[in-house]
């Protein structure tokens, strides 16, 4: 799409260098110098990773690699180390390239074997492409976290009812942060490897599901417990080695069912957690499930695939409708609060699209009311700063989140060399009678920070509250003060002051 048509041209310019976004007031984004301490919110936990914590998770990966680096040792030792660290095939590739270090017959034999394996792999990939993608490639491509392998935070999940968050770090530990409580329980388990997703159970204060390499761990973390390191016995293990690695989780809105999925496997598993029983629902096409999203009304389940299609399931009889012939695989999607509209984005296309579904009925309404429509072109746009520099915002979409009022929608863009990921675009939205997207403003962090993860906090009484995980390990809040349309219908603005004392109280 042409950048000249981008809706981002209609946005106010982003904050200047040395400034960061503070809040939205009177429909405008406000900023302040980033040399000042970032304001925190009294009723929400302050989450800032220490440099020691970030460095510790970095060292975990660096040490594993350094253990196998060659330091001038003999060729045969280097080949053996490569075999142990990266496998037999990598060892033969290295022998093939070391013509002057090994006998010619060994090098030529390895070269023939490598060629045959590559040919077989190429043929197989045309039929089973996802089976050959590595776990690291999966995490980079399908996680709704920018630069997942280097991000200090691998996943974050806000509780749907209370002000607390679960945060997964790169060392596979999960930390629980509470509002007004310095106690931060740390969850660790021998099976808690390659943590890719976190999900709190609705209508429960203590149950957290963790997506791991070979299983789903369901932790029971009592809010009143004083244990900093809850015992592994408080975690249920839902074994799903056939679905490895598990990368996406979704609870039904009533908390009765948990769904797990993986891009490598063409099925979803529907878990009855108390019974630790999982029912496999296979898909005939699609080559895996890259991510899941339950509609807020519980009647539909969205499943994206690595191919140019996605599905919308009816959760009453677990039947689905395919949406195919897309421009590319779906990269992000979000349901409206009433479950009537699905906004999504696709790989290779800088745009947002929407599909409307019927509301109510008997729960079988997975057929859309109409075809998908183009909501907005978000192609990259350049902005001139006061110091003469040029910054860019927009591009391919990495994550879409919608607030509980249905009046604010935030979009995070893919990491790229132009730095578009340092801005989050916020739109003003209406759902009824027509779906409409209007320019809002940009959210920017401190100098040098890029956006890693975005989420709207649930149940905000003064408008909306956006949380942004920044590349520095800081979790920032952006309050958006406005009167939701639904409240205007129930009370006059004279009786509702969005800036009155409440959960959005600042402290420095």
């Amino acid at each position: 799409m042409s950048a000249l048509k981008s809706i981002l041209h209609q946005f106010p310019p982003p904050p200047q260098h040395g400034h960061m976004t503070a809040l939205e007031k009177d429909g405008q984004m406000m900023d302040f110098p980033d040399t000042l301490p970032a304001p925190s919110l009294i009723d929400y936990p302050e989450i800032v990773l220490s440099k020691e914590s970030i460095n510790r998770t970095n060292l975990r990966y660096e040490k594993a690699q350094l253990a196998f680096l060659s330091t001038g040792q003999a060729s045969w030792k280097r080949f053996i180390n490569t075999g142990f660290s990266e496998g037999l095939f990598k060892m033969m590739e290295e022998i093939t390239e070391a013509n002057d270090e090994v006998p010619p017959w060994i090098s030529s034999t390895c070269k023939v074997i490598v060629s045959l394996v590559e040919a077989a792999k190429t043929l197989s990939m045309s039929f089973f492409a996802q089976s050959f993608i590595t776990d690291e490639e999966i995490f980079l491509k399908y996680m709704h976290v920018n630069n997942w392998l280097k991000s200090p935070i691998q996943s974050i999940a806000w509780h749907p009812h209370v002000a607390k968050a679960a945060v997964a770090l790169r060392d596979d530990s999960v930390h629980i942060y509470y509002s007004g409580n310095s106690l931060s329980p740390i969850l660790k388990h021998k099976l808690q490897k390659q943590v890719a997703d976190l999900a709190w159970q609705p209508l429960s204060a203590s149950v957290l599901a963790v997506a791991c390499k070979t299983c789903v761990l369901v932790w029971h973390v009592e809010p009143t417990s004083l244990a900093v390191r809850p015992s592994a016995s408080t975690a249920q293990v839902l074994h799903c080695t056939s679905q490895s690695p598990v990368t996406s989780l979704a609870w039904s809105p009533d908390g009765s069912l948990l769904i797990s999925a993986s891009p490598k496997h063409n099925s979803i598993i529907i878990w009855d957690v108390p019974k630790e029983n999982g029912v496999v629902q296979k898909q005939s096409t699609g080559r895996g499930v890259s991510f899941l999203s339950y509609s807020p009304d519980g009647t539909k389940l969205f499943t994206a695939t690595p191919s140019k299609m996605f599905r919308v399931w009816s959760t009453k009889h677990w039947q689905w409708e395919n949406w195919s012939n897309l421009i590319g695989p779906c990269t992000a999607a979000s349901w409206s609060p009433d479950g009537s509209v699905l906004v999504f984005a696709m790989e290779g296309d800088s745009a947002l699209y929407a599909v409307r579904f019927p509301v109510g009925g008997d729960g079988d309404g997975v057929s859309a009311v109409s075809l998908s429509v183009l909501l907005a072109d978000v192609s990259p746009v350049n902005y001139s700063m006061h110091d003469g520099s040029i910054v860019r915002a927009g591009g391919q979409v990495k994550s879409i989140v919608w607030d509980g009022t249905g009046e604010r929608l935030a979009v995070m863009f893919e990491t790229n060399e132009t730095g578009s990921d340092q801005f989050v675009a916020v739109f003003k939205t209406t759902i009824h009678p027509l779906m409409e997207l209007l320019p809002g403003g940009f959210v920017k962090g401190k100098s040098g920070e890029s956006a890693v993860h975005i989420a709207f906090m649930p149940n905000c009484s003064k408008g909306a509250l956006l949380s942004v995980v920044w590349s520095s390990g800081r979790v920032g809040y952006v309050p958006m003060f406005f009167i939701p349309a639904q409240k205007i219908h129930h009370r006059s603005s004279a009786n509702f002051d969005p800036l009155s004392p409440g959960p959005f109280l600042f402290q420095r």
Side-chain angles (χ1 to χ4, degrees):
M1 291 188 176
S2 171
L4 296 176
K5 299 179 181 179
S6 177
I7 194 175
L8 301 182
H9 277 297
Q10 304 173 35
F11 271 56
Q16 296 293 318
H17 290 308
H19 282 68
M20 63 184 291
T21 306
L23 53 86
E24 178 196 317
K25 181 181 177 183
D26 299 328
Q28 300 294 322
M29 289 294 181
M30 317 287 288
D31 59 75
F32 64 92
D34 62 14
T35 53
L36 297 175
S40 58
L41 298 174
I42 289 178
D43 287 349
Y44 292 89
E46 185 173 0
I47 304 173
V48 180
L49 301 187
S50 65
K51 290 184 179 179
E52 178 185 356
S53 176
I54 294 174
N55 292 336
R56 185 171 63 249
T57 56
N58 286 341
L59 286 173
R60 173 177 177 265
Y61 291 92
E62 291 172 2
K63 287 182 177 178
Q65 293 174 345
L66 289 173
F68 296 102
L69 289 180
S70 61
T71 54
Q73 77 269 47
S75 299
W76 65 271
K77 288 185 178 180
R78 191 174 75 250
F79 298 149
I80 292 175
N81 283 341
T82 300
F84 276 112
S85 62
E86 301 183 58
L88 182 62
F89 182 71
K90 285 291 184 181
M91 183 182 73
M92 287 191 291
E93 281 187 321
E94 187 167 334
I95 292 174
T96 300
E97 296 170 0
N99 294 324
D100 56 343
E101 299 181 58
V102 297
W105 69 270
I106 294 180
S107 176
S108 58
T109 301
C110 289
K111 186 174 182 179
V112 171
I113 294 174
V114 168
S115 298
L116 291 173
V117 172
E118 288 288 359
K121 183 178 178 181
T122 301
L123 180 62
S124 298
M125 283 185 69
S126 62
F127 298 99
F128 309 103
Q130 291 305 114
S131 300
F132 290 91
I133 190 171
T134 66
D135 288 356
E136 288 188 355
E137 290 171 328
I138 283 177
F139 297 138
L140 280 173
K141 188 169 184 178
Y142 300 120
M143 297 299 97
H144 291 153
V145 174
N146 263 330
N147 207 357
W148 189 88
L149 291 176
K150 294 183 179 179
S151 169
I153 291 178
Q154 306 282 254
S155 182
I156 181 171
W158 291 99
H159 196 282
H161 312 301
V162 296
K164 67 177 178 180
V167 177
L169 303 185
R170 287 175 58 191
D171 62 356
D172 292 324
S173 63
V174 176
H175 299 240
I176 310 298
Y177 293 89
Y178 298 89
S179 172
N181 192 337
S182 59
L183 182 67
S184 178
I186 302 175
L187 310 180
K188 290 188 176 183
H189 194 284
K190 64 181 181 180
L191 296 178
Q192 195 165 284
K193 305 296 183 184
Q194 294 184 355
V195 176
D197 199 10
L198 303 169
W200 290 99
Q201 183 183 31
L203 309 181
S204 168
S206 61
V207 179
L208 174 70
V210 181
C212 307
K213 180 175 176 61
T214 61
C215 67
V216 175
L217 291 175
V218 181
W219 289 90
H220 298 261
V221 187
E222 293 299 331
T224 57
S225 173
L226 298 179
V228 178
R229 287 286 300 275
S231 169
S233 62
T234 62
Q236 290 176 268
V237 180
L238 307 180
H239 292 284
C240 42
T241 52
S242 61
Q243 203 182 45
S244 174
V246 184
T247 60
S248 190
L249 299 172
W251 287 96
S252 59
D254 63 2
S256 62
L257 298 175
L258 174 66
I259 317 296
S260 65
S262 169
K264 278 193 172 183
H265 300 274
N266 203 27
S267 63
I268 60 174
I269 299 180
I270 305 170
W271 294 96
D272 183 335
V273 175
K275 297 180 180 179
E276 298 184 1
N277 180 48
V279 176
V280 177
Q281 289 284 352
K282 292 186 177 181
Q283 305 176 131
S284 56
T285 57
R287 302 202 316 255
V289 178
S290 50
F291 68 94
L292 307 160
S293 182
Y294 241 109
S295 65
D297 62 2
T299 62
K300 297 176 286 294
L301 178 73
F302 168 86
T303 58
T305 75
S307 62
K308 296 179 181 181
M309 67 170 294
F310 64 77
R311 288 185 175 84
V312 178
W313 301 65
S314 163
T315 58
K316 184 176 182 180
H317 299 296
W318 293 106
Q319 298 172 336
W320 67 77
E321 183 171 281
N322 291 336
W323 287 77
S324 56
N325 299 319
L326 305 178
I327 295 172
C330 186
T331 58
S334 183
W335 289 101
S336 63
D338 64 357
S340 66
V341 176
L342 179 74
V343 171
F344 66 94
M346 294 174 283
E347 185 179 317
D349 185 31
S350 301
L352 299 174
Y353 297 84
V355 180
R356 185 177 289 276
F357 294 87
V359 178
D362 60 1
D364 287 326
V366 296
S367 295
V369 175
S370 61
L371 298 176
S372 62
V373 296
L374 172 65
L375 274 184
D377 182 336
V378 290
S379 299
V381 171
N382 293 331
Y383 294 91
S384 299
M385 298 289 99
H386 290 164
D387 60 2
S389 62
I390 302 293
V391 298
R392 174 170 286 199
Q396 186 162 303
V397 175
K398 183 71 171 179
S399 180
I400 304 170
V401 293
W402 217 328
D403 88 297
T405 69
E407 298 187 28
R408 293 296 183 273
L409 183 138
V411 175
M412 183 178 73
F413 302 100
E414 283 270 12
T415 299
N416 56 51
E417 68 282 356
T418 64
S420 292
D421 58 340
Q422 66 179 299
F423 302 112
V424 175
V426 177
F427 295 87
K428 300 172 184 178
T429 60
T430 57
I431 302 172
H432 302 289
L434 297 175
M435 178 65 205
E436 189 175 16
L437 224 57
L438 298 175
F442 290 111
V443 172
K444 177 182 176 293
K446 295 182 178 181
S447 297
E449 289 183 330
S450 58
V452 171
H453 178 278
I454 56 174
F456 276 106
M457 306 287 287
N459 305 318
C460 291
S461 61
K462 305 296 181 181
L465 179 60
L466 178 69
S467 67
V468 183
V469 179
W470 298 100
S471 54
S472 63
R474 181 178 67 89
V475 178
Y477 299 107
V478 181
M480 300 175 188
F481 298 110
F482 61 90
I483 304 175
Q486 58 187 1
K487 290 196 174 183
I488 295 177
H489 296 155
H490 291 87
R491 61 175 79 179
S492 67
S493 59
N495 296 325
F496 180 72
D497 178 7
L499 297 181
S500 64
F504 292 167
L505 288 178
F506 287 104
Q507 60 180 7
R508 292 228 182 243

